[in-house]
Coordinates of all heavy atoms in Angstrom, one line a residue:
V54 N 4.4 -18.1 23.7 CA 3.5 -19.0 24.5 C 4.1 -20.4 24.6 O 4.3 -21.0 23.6 CB 2.1 -19.0 24.0 CG1 1.2 -19.9 24.8 CG2 1.5 -17.6 23.9
T56 N 2.9 -23.2 26.2 CA 1.9 -24.2 26.0 C 0.6 -23.5 25.9 O 0.2 -22.8 26.8 CB 1.9 -25.2 27.1 OG1 3.2 -25.8 27.3 CG2 0.9 -26.3 26.9
V57 N -0.1 -23.8 24.9 CA -1.5 -23.2 24.7 C -2.5 -24.4 24.8 O -2.4 -25.4 24.1 CB -1.6 -22.5 23.3 CG1 -3.0 -22.0 23.1 CG2 -0.6 -21.4 23.2
V58 N -3.5 -24.2 25.7 CA -4.4 -25.3 25.8 C -5.9 -24.8 25.6 O -6.8 -25.6 25.5 CB -4.4 -25.9 27.3 CG1 -3.0 -26.5 27.5 CG2 -4.6 -24.8 28.3
D59 N -6.1 -23.5 25.4 CA -7.4 -23.0 25.2 C -7.8 -23.0 23.7 O -7.2 -22.3 22.9 CB -7.5 -21.6 25.7 CG -8.9 -21.0 25.7 OD1 -9.8 -21.7 25.2 OD2 -9.1 -19.8 26.1
N60 N -8.6 -23.9 23.3 CA -9.0 -24.1 21.9 C -10.4 -23.5 21.6 O -11.0 -23.9 20.6 CB -8.9 -25.5 21.5 CG -10.0 -26.4 22.1 OD1 -10.6 -26.0 23.1 ND2 -10.3 -27.5 21.5
R61 N -10.9 -22.7 22.4 CA -12.2 -22.1 22.3 C -12.2 -20.9 21.3 O -11.4 -20.0 21.5 CB -12.9 -21.7 23.6 CG -13.0 -22.9 24.6 CD -13.4 -22.4 25.9 NE -12.4 -21.6 26.5 CZ -12.5 -20.9 27.7 NH1 -13.7 -20.9 28.3 NH2 -11.6 -20.1 28.1
I62 N -13.2 -20.8 20.4 CA -13.4 -19.7 19.5 C -14.9 -19.4 19.5 O -15.7 -20.3 19.2 CB -12.9 -20.0 18.1 CG1 -11.4 -20.3 18.1 CG2 -13.1 -18.8 17.2 CD1 -10.8 -20.7 16.8
P63 N -15.3 -18.1 19.6 CA -16.7 -17.8 19.5 C -17.2 -18.2 18.1 O -16.5 -18.0 17.1 CB -16.7 -16.3 19.7 CG -15.5 -16.0 20.5 CD -14.5 -17.0 20.1
S64 N -18.4 -18.8 18.0 CA -18.8 -19.3 16.8 C -18.9 -18.3 15.6 O -18.6 -18.7 14.5 CB -20.2 -20.0 17.0 OG -21.1 -19.0 17.5
L66 N -17.0 -15.8 15.1 CA -15.6 -15.5 14.6 C -15.1 -16.7 13.9 O -14.4 -16.6 12.8 CB -14.7 -15.2 15.8 CG -14.5 -13.7 16.2 CD1 -13.9 -12.9 15.1 CD2 -15.8 -13.1 16.6
L67 N -15.4 -17.9 14.4 CA -15.0 -19.2 13.7 C -15.6 -19.2 12.2 O -14.9 -19.5 11.3 CB -15.4 -20.4 14.4 CG -15.1 -21.7 13.8 CD1 -13.6 -21.9 13.6 CD2 -15.7 -22.9 14.7
Y70 N -13.6 -16.6 10.1 CA -12.3 -17.1 9.7 C -12.4 -18.1 8.5 O -11.7 -18.1 7.6 CB -11.6 -17.8 10.9 CG -11.3 -16.8 12.0 CD1 -11.5 -17.3 13.3 CD2 -10.9 -15.5 11.8 CE1 -11.2 -16.4 14.4 CE2 -10.6 -14.7 12.9 CZ -10.8 -15.1 14.2 OH -10.5 -14.3 15.2
Q71 N -13.4 -19.1 8.7 CA -13.5 -20.1 7.7 C -14.0 -19.6 6.4 O -13.6 -20.0 5.3 CB -14.5 -21.2 8.2 CG -13.9 -22.0 9.4 CD -14.9 -22.9 10.0 OE1 -16.1 -22.7 9.9 NE2 -14.4 -23.9 10.7
R83 N -5.2 -21.4 5.4 CA -6.0 -22.1 6.3 C -6.6 -21.2 7.3 O -6.0 -20.2 7.7 CB -5.2 -23.2 7.0 CG -4.6 -24.3 6.1 CD -3.9 -25.3 7.0 NE -2.8 -24.8 7.8 CZ -2.6 -25.2 9.0 NH1 -3.4 -26.0 9.7 NH2 -1.6 -24.6 9.7
W84 N -7.9 -21.5 7.7 CA -8.6 -20.6 8.6 C -7.9 -20.5 9.9 O -8.0 -19.5 10.6 CB -10.0 -21.0 8.8 CG -10.2 -22.3 9.4 CD1 -10.4 -23.6 8.9 CD2 -10.2 -22.6 10.9 NE1 -10.6 -24.5 9.8 CE2 -10.4 -24.0 11.1 CE3 -10.0 -21.7 12.0 CZ2 -10.5 -24.5 12.3 CZ3 -10.1 -22.3 13.3 CH2 -10.3 -23.7 13.4
Q85 N -7.1 -21.5 10.3 CA -6.4 -21.5 11.6 C -5.4 -20.4 11.6 O -5.1 -19.8 12.7 CB -5.7 -22.8 11.8 CG -6.6 -24.0 12.1 CD -7.1 -24.8 10.9 OE1 -6.9 -24.3 9.8 NE2 -7.5 -26.0 11.1
V86 N -4.8 -20.0 10.4 CA -3.9 -18.8 10.4 C -4.6 -17.5 10.8 O -4.1 -16.8 11.6 CB -3.2 -18.7 9.0 CG1 -2.3 -17.5 9.0 CG2 -2.5 -20.0 8.7
L87 N -5.8 -17.3 10.2 CA -6.6 -16.1 10.5 C -7.0 -16.2 12.0 O -7.0 -15.2 12.7 CB -7.8 -16.1 9.6 CG -7.5 -15.8 8.2 CD1 -8.8 -16.0 7.4 CD2 -7.0 -14.4 8.0
A88 N -7.3 -17.4 12.5 CA -7.7 -17.5 13.9 C -6.6 -17.2 14.8 O -6.8 -16.6 15.9 CB -8.3 -18.9 14.1
G89 N -5.4 -17.6 14.5 CA -4.2 -17.4 15.3 C -4.0 -15.9 15.4 O -3.7 -15.3 16.5
I90 N -4.1 -15.2 14.3 CA -3.9 -13.7 14.2 C -5.0 -13.0 15.0 O -4.7 -12.1 15.8 CB -3.8 -13.2 12.8 CG1 -2.5 -13.8 12.1 CG2 -3.8 -11.7 12.8 CD1 -2.3 -13.4 10.7
G91 N -6.2 -13.5 14.8 CA -7.3 -12.8 15.4 C -7.3 -13.0 17.0 O -7.7 -12.1 17.7
K92 N -6.8 -14.2 17.4 CA -6.6 -14.4 18.8 C -5.6 -13.4 19.4 O -5.9 -12.8 20.5 CB -6.2 -15.8 19.1 CG -5.8 -16.1 20.5 CD -7.0 -16.0 21.5 CE -6.6 -16.4 22.9 NZ -7.8 -16.3 23.8
V93 N -4.5 -13.3 18.8 CA -3.4 -12.4 19.3 C -3.8 -10.9 19.2 O -3.5 -10.2 20.1 CB -2.1 -12.7 18.6 CG1 -1.0 -11.7 19.0 CG2 -1.6 -14.1 18.8
E94 N -4.5 -10.6 18.1 CA -4.8 -9.2 17.9 C -5.9 -8.6 18.8 O -5.8 -7.5 19.3 CB -5.1 -8.9 16.5 CG -4.0 -9.2 15.4 CD -2.9 -8.2 15.5 OE1 -2.9 -7.3 16.3 OE2 -2.0 -8.4 14.7
S95 N -6.9 -9.4 19.0 CA -8.1 -8.8 19.8 C -8.8 -9.9 20.6 O -9.9 -9.6 21.1 CB -9.1 -8.2 18.8 OG -9.7 -9.2 18.0
N96 N -8.2 -11.0 20.8 CA -8.9 -12.1 21.5 C -10.2 -12.4 20.9 O -11.3 -12.5 21.6 CB -9.0 -11.8 23.0 CG -9.5 -13.0 23.8 OD1 -9.2 -14.1 23.4 ND2 -10.1 -12.7 25.0
H97 N -10.2 -12.6 19.6 CA -11.4 -12.9 18.8 C -12.5 -11.8 19.1 O -13.6 -12.1 19.5 CB -11.9 -14.3 19.1 CG -11.0 -15.3 18.9 ND1 -10.2 -15.5 17.7 CD2 -10.5 -16.4 19.7 CE1 -9.4 -16.5 17.8 NE2 -9.6 -17.1 19.0
A98 N -12.2 -10.5 18.8 CA -13.1 -9.4 19.0 C -13.7 -9.5 20.4 O -14.9 -9.4 20.7 CB -14.2 -9.5 18.0
G100 N -13.9 -11.8 22.6 CA -14.8 -12.9 22.9 C -16.0 -12.9 22.1 O -17.0 -13.6 22.5
G101 N -16.0 -12.3 20.9 CA -17.2 -12.3 20.1 C -18.3 -11.3 20.4 O -19.4 -11.5 20.1
M128 N -9.0 -7.3 13.6 CA -7.8 -7.7 13.0 C -6.8 -6.7 12.9 O -5.7 -6.9 12.3 CB -8.1 -8.3 11.6 CG -9.1 -9.4 11.5 SD -8.6 -10.9 12.5 CE -7.3 -11.6 11.3
A192 N 6.0 -16.3 16.9 CA 6.0 -17.5 17.7 C 4.6 -17.6 18.4 O 4.0 -18.7 18.5 CB 7.1 -17.4 18.8
D193 N 4.1 -16.5 18.8 CA 2.8 -16.5 19.5 C 1.7 -16.9 18.5 O 0.8 -17.8 18.9 CB 2.5 -15.1 20.0 CG 1.5 -15.1 21.2 OD1 1.1 -16.2 21.6 OD2 1.2 -14.0 21.7
V194 N 1.7 -16.4 17.3 CA 0.6 -16.7 16.3 C 0.8 -18.2 16.0 O -0.2 -18.9 15.9 CB 0.8 -15.9 15.1 CG1 -0.1 -16.4 14.0 CG2 0.4 -14.4 15.4
F195 N 2.0 -18.7 15.8 CA 2.2 -20.1 15.4 C 1.7 -21.0 16.6 O 1.2 -22.1 16.3 CB 3.7 -20.4 15.1 CG 3.9 -20.4 13.6 CD1 4.4 -19.3 13.0 CD2 3.7 -21.5 12.9 CE1 4.7 -19.3 11.6 CE2 3.9 -21.5 11.5 CZ 4.4 -20.4 10.9
Q196 N 1.9 -20.6 17.8 CA 1.4 -21.5 18.9 C -0.2 -21.6 18.8 O -0.7 -22.7 18.9 CB 1.7 -20.8 20.2 CG 3.2 -20.9 20.6 CD 3.5 -22.3 21.1 OE1 2.7 -23.2 21.3 NE2 4.8 -22.6 21.4
W197 N -0.9 -20.5 18.5 CA -2.3 -20.6 18.3 C -2.7 -21.4 17.1 O -3.7 -22.1 17.1 CB -2.9 -19.2 18.3 CG -2.9 -18.6 19.7 CD1 -2.1 -17.6 20.1 CD2 -3.6 -19.0 20.8 NE1 -2.3 -17.3 21.4 CE2 -3.2 -18.1 21.9 CE3 -4.6 -20.0 21.1 CZ2 -3.8 -18.2 23.2 CZ3 -5.1 -20.1 22.3 CH2 -4.7 -19.2 23.4
I198 N -2.0 -21.2 16.0 CA -2.3 -22.0 14.8 C -2.2 -23.5 15.1 O -3.0 -24.3 14.7 CB -1.3 -21.6 13.6 CG1 -1.5 -20.2 13.2 CG2 -1.4 -22.6 12.5 CD1 -0.5 -19.7 12.2
T199 N -1.1 -23.9 15.8 CA -0.9 -25.3 16.2 C -2.1 -25.8 17.1 O -2.6 -26.9 16.9 CB 0.4 -25.4 16.9 OG1 1.5 -25.0 16.1 CG2 0.7 -26.9 17.3
T200 N -2.5 -25.0 18.0 CA -3.6 -25.4 18.9 C -4.9 -25.6 18.1 O -5.6 -26.6 18.3 CB -3.8 -24.3 20.0 OG1 -2.6 -24.2 20.8 CG2 -5.0 -24.6 20.8
Y201 N -5.2 -24.6 17.3 CA -6.5 -24.7 16.5 C -6.4 -25.8 15.5 O -7.5 -26.3 15.1 CB -6.8 -23.3 15.9 CG -7.0 -22.2 16.9 CD1 -6.6 -20.9 16.6 CD2 -7.6 -22.5 18.1 CE1 -6.8 -19.9 17.5 CE2 -7.8 -21.5 19.0 CZ -7.4 -20.2 18.7 OH -7.6 -19.2 19.7
S202 N -5.2 -26.1 15.0 CA -5.1 -27.2 14.0 C -5.5 -28.6 14.7 O -5.8 -29.5 14.0 CB -3.7 -27.3 13.4 OG -3.5 -26.1 12.7
G203 N -5.4 -28.6 16.0 CA -5.7 -29.9 16.7 C -7.2 -30.0 17.0 O -7.6 -31.0 17.6
G204 N -8.0 -29.0 16.6 CA -9.4 -29.0 16.9 C -9.8 -27.8 17.8 O -9.0 -27.3 18.6
V205 N -11.0 -27.4 17.5 CA -11.5 -26.2 18.3 C -12.9 -26.5 18.9 O -13.6 -27.5 18.5 CB -11.6 -25.0 17.4 CG1 -10.3 -24.6 16.8 CG2 -12.6 -25.2 16.2
A206 N -13.2 -25.7 19.9 CA -14.6 -25.8 20.5 C -15.3 -24.5 20.2 O -14.8 -23.4 20.7 CB -14.4 -26.0 22.0
A207 N -16.3 -24.5 19.4 CA -17.1 -23.3 19.1 C -17.9 -23.0 20.4 O -18.6 -23.8 20.9 CB -18.0 -23.5 17.9
I208 N -17.9 -21.7 20.8 CA -18.6 -21.3 22.0 C -19.5 -20.1 21.7 O -19.2 -19.4 20.7 CB -17.6 -21.0 23.1 CG1 -16.7 -19.8 22.7 CG2 -16.8 -22.2 23.6 CD1 -15.8 -19.3 23.8

Side-chain angles (χ1 to χ4, degrees):
V54 178
T56 303
V57 177
V58 295
D59 185 0
N60 69 340
R61 298 171 298 171
I62 299 179
S64 56
L66 270 297
L67 179 59
Y70 297 140
Q71 293 174 335
R83 296 188 299 137
W84 66 262
Q85 289 90 342
V86 176
L87 292 169
I90 293 174
K92 172 65 178 180
V93 174
E94 296 291 359
S95 68
N96 191 25
H97 305 310
M128 298 302 282
D193 205 357
V194 171
F195 261 97
Q196 287 283 354
W197 288 108
I198 294 173
T199 302
T200 295
Y201 297 145
S202 296
V205 297
I208 60 174

